[in-house]
Amino acid sequence: MLSSKIDGRLGDVLKKMPEKPHEYDLENMTKIVYHPKYEETQLELFKQLVEKKYKLKFKDYWEFHEWSYKNYPEFWDCFWHFFDIVHSKPYSQVYDRKNGFDNMHWFTGAEINYSQNLLKYRDSKTAIISTDAEDNTEYISHKDLYNEVAVYVKALKDEGIKKGDYVACYMSNKMEAVYAYLATAAIGAIFCGALPLLGAKAVVSRFDQIKPKILFTAGNFKFDNKEFKMDERIPEIVESLPCLQKVIFCPKKGKKVQENISNVPKCLYIQEFLHKAREELRENPKDIEFEQVPFDYPLCISFTSGTTGAPKGLIHSHGSFVATVRDFGLAQNCTREDAVFNQSPVGWISWNLTINTLHLGLTIVNYDGYVFQESPIRFWDLVDKCGLTITYIWSSTLEFMETHGWTPTSNHSLKTLKQISPVGSPAKPSTFDFISEKVKPGVFCNPAYGCTETFGLISGMNSNMPVYRGEIQALGLGMDVRILDEKGNPTIGKRGELVLANPYPSLPVAILNDENKEKLREMYLTDHPGYWNVADDSWINPITKGLIVFGRSDESMNPNGARYNCSDIYFALEDFPGMKDCVVVSQYNKEMDERVILFVKMLPGHTLTDEVKERIKKIIEHHLTHEHVPNIIMETPDIPYNLNGKKLNGIVKKLVNKKPLQNADTVINPSSLEFFRDVDLGEF
């Protein structure tokens, strides 16, 4: 029915649209790639609970979604009880609507503990399957998980770690990171992970802000066809952090010869660190005493980059896991029979989100390595071996698999697989076709869209609704998502910046070292007063109500799903010999593929030779990762600045992408714009 209505009205709507969203054939975009199941899901049961409590009747998802964000305190109140959030004290108020984004207080009076919620199941069902490229596989039950976390808790307490202390982690995707995270939270200490792809300088710039007492780390590993030499980085990191009391090293599984840690100060193997605590608990078992804290109490730090300065530490709370429970428990209808795949190591927010699913009793498949490049069928083997039901795969990886024909074979049943969600970067329409036609016809193939700040999805999902080719199916419950035009007015059917119009319990409670919340306001609340600025270039289909996200509209880059900020590049190139300044931006082609361009302004008497370009690439890779290395490095005679001396990345980005420029009057050196207007970067 819905499809025929769209077919009849599409032509008229397109004629009225002020702007085409991109170069795709919009009429073909309304092709349905997933047909609704019409089954009784957790979402349907939850909706019925709300209808009964408030004597309402919603005709469809969109009416329910509208109620959920207009009545967001009532929505989250119902959610709390539906999912049985573990707490020691009840709340007196869900949320005071007088409080804005810079003064959020959720579930006032409640006392909870993150780890107590995630460890509420203590039975023999599998909680985590930990495996790697060498098939070193462990099956950890919920009971075993609880018991191992108890050992970590005692060992940390014996080391003097207490509520409010910082514990850091820098390693590939190993089980020890999960244990450390849950144990840290159980104590009321604060956890912080740095992506193991980052170089030493970038890691120190993060950890030096929190002064951790303990660092969990591990040895060399392979990821994305690259060997990461942790043994070269760890000594430098430890030497730069005198605050560390101990460095805990987690050796590889199945390896006969232990990795050498003699050159790392204060370092011991994980077995040594846990030995005393393990023996004492074996003789005298004790339950974990979970530190009870307010809902908004700090749980972990996730670092993101602003436009200038050191990386910014977003502080997420003990209660922030509720967004993940909404995403998996409601939107994706997950139960204890489901298994979700985790590709991400600590340092990507997707790692935290996957761990959060333990609250639902799901099984997490934790993979140490890069399964998608080990063989054309390695991932499909993993689906069948582990009984995967839910999997998030980077959009760029799905494009690679499609291009190279890495599809399941006749030997793969994929009988358990019910959902594939592209993540990390916008999914092309052809990716929807690949999933629905080449991988598993009938599988739910809806992109999952969120960001570090939301600590959960902005997008929604509903298996009882169709998915349209090229579109994110729905918006998340409890979230008033809007697209603002260039004048700051909400719009549908026209591209603009995506913002949130109402508070949400998983947004950062603060930014590290930002007592007056000036950084928070500058980063998220200044550009569009009254809104939380997500700053993604987006478009809502006026007929299907589906969402398309094209990429970042600010100074961030997201090539192949590797999201980072221009300031990361500037940080790596500080004091580079012969360079006066530089500006880095994204360029897009007609299919919205993204590549990164670095423009360099040299000091008088210096030239940007091929040799200098290679040195620039090497230093960026050394301090950051190989994914940060720009696709093109080019010399420029000048770079635009405003009256305050701020480098105008946004203006350069618009000019490079041949977009109209409306704020050129802010440029103090307008002649600098001519180069970027005329520069020929070629097709890609």
Side-chain angles (χ1 to χ4, degrees), residues 40-232:
E40 187 174 67
T41 61
Q42 290 285 96
L43 177 56
E44 288 298 318
L45 294 173
F46 179 72
K47 181 167 69 73
Q48 291 167 20
L49 178 149
V50 172
E51 289 175 330
K52 182 177 180 180
K53 181 173 182 177
Y54 293 102
K55 297 180 174 55
L56 299 167
K57 188 65 179 177
F58 304 110
K59 69 178 182 181
D60 55 21
Y61 178 86
W62 295 106
E63 277 197 1
F64 185 40
H65 174 259
E66 182 178 9
W67 178 88
S68 74
Y69 71 73
K70 286 184 175 179
N71 302 276
Y72 60 90
E74 291 79 5
F75 168 80
W76 289 107
D77 176 57
C78 291
F79 173 92
W80 178 285
H81 296 288
F82 187 82
F83 283 104
D84 190 24
I85 304 302
V86 180
H87 58 283
S88 58
K89 286 186 180 179
Y91 52 86
S92 57
Q93 183 180 34
V94 176
Y95 192 84
D96 186 343
R97 284 177 173 268
K98 295 194 298 290
N99 294 335
F101 287 109
D102 57 352
N103 187 33
M104 292 184 291
H105 299 287
W106 285 93
F107 296 101
T108 306
E111 290 198 356
I112 66 170
N113 183 278
Y114 171 82
S115 295
Q116 188 173 14
N117 271 275
L118 270 64
L119 296 172
K120 67 178 185 176
Y121 294 105
R122 300 174 195 175
D123 53 27
S124 60
K125 193 175 185 306
T126 302
I128 301 176
I129 302 173
S130 179
T131 189
D132 59 21
E134 285 77 41
D135 283 324
N136 297 304
T137 304
E138 286 184 82
Y139 294 83
I140 300 115
S141 69
H142 286 274
K143 180 180 179 181
D144 292 339
L145 177 62
Y146 177 90
N147 290 337
E148 189 67 7
V149 171
V151 174
Y152 276 66
V153 167
K154 180 163 179 52
L156 286 170
K157 284 185 173 181
D158 288 347
E159 187 59 35
I161 302 303
K162 60 186 184 302
K163 179 181 178 181
D165 287 339
Y166 286 95
V167 173
C169 186
Y170 179 59
M171 67 171 75
S172 61
N173 199 14
K174 296 181 180 296
M175 269 306 302
E176 289 87 351
V178 180
Y179 298 139
Y181 182 39
L182 294 174
T184 299
I187 296 170
I190 304 166
F191 186 87
C192 180
L195 190 67
L197 312 184
L198 291 172
K201 183 178 179 181
V203 173
V204 171
S205 73
R206 287 155 170 79
F207 289 164
D208 191 46
Q209 296 183 54
I210 62 171
K211 304 292 189 291
K213 293 184 176 180
I214 299 289
L215 171 63
F216 287 90
T217 191
N220 300 346
F221 67 98
K222 285 186 177 180
F223 192 87
D224 197 12
N225 276 343
K226 181 176 175 60
E227 177 82 16
F228 289 87
K229 301 286 188 179
M230 302 289 277
D231 56 359
E232 298 175 0

Side-chain angles (χ1 to χ4, degrees), residues 374-589:
E374 290 167 14
S375 84
I377 62 172
R378 175 68 171 167
F379 176 69
W380 310 119
D381 290 342
L382 191 73
V383 171
D384 284 345
K385 177 183 176 181
C386 298
L388 282 178
T389 58
I390 308 290
T391 182
Y392 288 9
I393 306 176
W394 294 329
S395 298
S396 57
T397 298
L398 286 166
E399 289 178 32
F400 176 89
M401 296 169 83
E402 177 187 3
T403 302
H404 292 82
W406 286 22
T407 55
T409 69
S410 58
N411 295 324
H412 296 103
S413 72
L414 306 188
K415 64 180 180 181
T416 60
L417 188 61
K418 66 181 187 182
Q419 176 187 320
I420 299 177
S421 289
V423 291
S425 58
K428 295 179 182 177
S430 60
T431 300
F432 289 73
D433 299 334
F434 173 66
I435 295 170
S436 62
E437 297 172 7
K438 302 294 186 181
V439 175
K440 184 178 180 180
V443 73
F444 188 57
C445 56
N446 184 45
Y449 165 59
C451 59
T452 302
E453 290 81 357
T454 56
F455 209 64
L457 299 183
I458 295 170
S459 61
M461 299 185 192
N462 186 346
S463 60
N464 288 332
M465 290 167 52
V467 175
Y468 292 92
R469 184 177 186 264
E471 296 182 0
I472 296 168
Q473 182 196 44
L475 301 174
L477 292 172
M479 304 183 83
D480 187 359
V481 180
R482 302 185 190 180
I483 310 299
L484 304 184
D485 63 19
E486 63 277 2
K487 295 181 179 179
N489 299 318
T491 183
I492 293 178
K494 184 177 180 180
R495 283 171 67 162
E497 282 198 344
L498 189 144
V499 299
L500 303 181
N502 68 311
Y504 159 81
S506 297
L507 286 171
V509 293
I511 293 178
L512 194 66
N513 303 319
D514 183 30
E515 291 184 10
N516 297 320
K517 298 195 175 181
E518 293 177 2
K519 294 179 186 176
L520 187 142
R521 294 187 190 97
E522 177 187 355
M523 290 175 66
Y524 302 111
L525 306 179
T526 300
D527 290 346
H528 300 290
Y531 298 103
W532 182 282
N533 191 20
V534 180
D536 278 327
D537 182 11
S538 308
W539 178 81
I540 292 178
N541 188 321
I543 303 172
T544 66
K545 300 183 181 179
L547 174 71
I548 296 174
V549 178
F550 303 101
R552 297 294 289 174
S553 58
D554 61 7
E555 287 92 345
S556 292
M557 273 81 55
N558 196 19
N560 298 319
R563 191 163 178 163
Y564 58 90
N565 198 279
C566 58
S567 65
D568 294 332
I569 304 296
Y570 305 150
F571 170 79
L573 293 176
E574 282 180 344
D575 303 319
F576 185 87
M579 180 186 294
K580 183 173 183 179
D581 203 355
C582 62
V583 61
V584 61
V585 297
S586 289
Q587 182 199 16
Y588 302 93
N589 64 16

